Amino acid sequence: QVQLVESGGGSVRAGGSLNLSCVASGYRKDSNCIGWFRQVAGKEREEVAFFTVGSKSPYYGESVKGRFTISSDNRRNTVNLQMTSLNPEDSAVYYCAAAYYAPWEYGRPCRVEGDFNVWGQGTQVTVSS
């Protein structure tokens, strides 16, 4: 069974930077997709950035474009998120997520949150003004 182990996060002042990392363990197979989501208490979970099969470029949410950079290994089993120019609106619990499908679905891309079937425990990011 795949497990996603996140690291990084913490507290920073506005304008600062943080890095998040996530490693998939327990399964020797390329994922279809891997990336990051975030959620503020009382609000819906938001897509931050992710890689998916079928696309050479990662997806970025509008609110983080130009400030966050996602990177991953070729097998999409590790993913990092470099966050710069952070502002208080970036404060949230950040979740690493991945999609591992059966071999016959390896080419299936991810487009929405529901396509991701493995989730990390979440890591808190707090940005103070």
Side-chain angles (χ1 to χ4, degrees):
Q1 186 173 357
V2 180
Q3 288 187 324
L4 300 177
V5 180
E6 300 146 336
S7 60
S11 298
V12 66
R13 296 184 69 88
S17 301
L18 284 173
N19 292 318
L20 304 180
S21 296
C22 175
V23 178
S25 64
Y27 199 46
R28 297 181 181 275
K29 179 182 178 295
D30 298 3
S31 75
N32 286 48
C33 325
I34 194 166
W36 294 93
F37 292 74
R38 67 186 183 185
Q39 188 170 26
V40 176
K43 295 187 177 181
E44 292 187 355
R45 193 150 49 190
E46 174 189 11
E47 298 164 345
V48 176
F50 62 85
F51 286 100
T52 179
V53 295
S55 176
K56 293 182 179 180
S57 300
Y59 165 88
Y60 286 100
E62 285 298 324
S63 62
V64 306
K65 280 183 179 179
R67 300 187 299 120
F68 291 11
T69 302
I70 189 173
S71 60
S72 177
D73 66 314
N74 290 336
R75 301 184 64 186
R76 292 180 298 278
N77 283 333
T78 65
V79 64
N80 299 299
L81 186 68
Q82 183 179 12
M83 305 183 291
T84 64
S85 300
L86 286 162
N87 58 63
E89 289 69 37
D90 295 314
S91 297
V93 177
Y94 283 70
Y95 295 91
C96 178
Y100 287 89
Y101 294 135
W104 56 87
E105 288 191 292
Y106 179 68
R108 173 182 168 183
C110 295
R111 295 187 176 89
V112 294
E113 178 183 334
D115 293 329
F116 292 79
N117 55 14
V118 182
W119 292 82
Q121 78 280 4
T123 185
Q124 178 70 47
V125 170
T126 302
V127 184
S128 59
S129 58

